[in-house]
């Protein structure tokens, strides 16, 4: 018997996320970070409070382009100072 890579609960969350993400990026198609060689076109969602319990909470999402998202993830302190990330506490 093999172990599932994704639990049934997480598969359901991922399905909801996929639908919400598509609609969110359709309605928020401009990058809100505008840093680091920004392409201006939002193609990704940055989870400002991380995924976990905030995974589906659109109030913690930030529409970003790939370049800005890479910078945010690589520079957590600066991202926090610029408001692109929020403390999880």
């Amino acid at each position: 018997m093999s172990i599932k890579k994704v639990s049934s609960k997480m598969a359901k969350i991922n399905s909801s996320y996929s639908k919400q993400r598509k609609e969110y990026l359709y309605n928020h198609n401009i990058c809100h970070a505008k840093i680091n060689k920004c392409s201006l076109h939002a193609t990704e969602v940055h989870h400002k409070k991380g995924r976990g319990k905030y995974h589906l909470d659109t109030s913690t999402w930030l529409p970003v382009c790939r370049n800005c998202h890479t910078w945010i993830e690589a520079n957590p302190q600066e991202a926090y100072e610029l408001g692109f990330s929020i403390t999880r506490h």
Side-chain angles (χ1 to χ4, degrees):
M1 184 165 134
S2 65
I3 298 174
K4 291 181 185 179
K5 291 183 180 185
V6 177
S7 70
S8 298
K9 180 180 176 181
M10 195 63 198
K12 191 174 185 178
I13 290 170
N14 286 341
S15 177
S16 292
Y17 172 70
S18 181
K19 291 172 188 168
Q20 279 185 264
R21 178 188 176 280
K22 184 177 180 180
E23 183 177 339
Y24 182 83
L25 288 172
Y26 178 81
N27 293 315
H28 302 86
N29 57 5
I30 302 297
C31 179
H32 284 210
K34 296 185 178 93
I35 51 174
N36 192 50
K37 301 176 186 172
C38 182
S39 70
L40 298 178
H41 182 69
T43 57
E44 302 184 9
V45 171
H46 171 63
H47 294 79
K48 297 188 303 184
K49 277 192 147 186
R51 292 183 180 222
K53 66 181 179 180
Y54 300 102
H55 193 66
L56 301 177
D57 182 353
T58 59
S59 72
T60 66
W61 292 7
L62 183 72
V64 291
C65 70
R66 181 71 202 133
N67 292 334
C68 289
H69 202 189
T70 298
W71 186 91
I72 289 168
E73 296 296 332
N75 300 278
Q77 184 60 40
E78 292 92 338
Y80 174 76
E81 290 168 4
L82 292 169
F84 301 141
S85 294
I86 303 170
T87 182
R88 297 175 188 182
H89 298 62

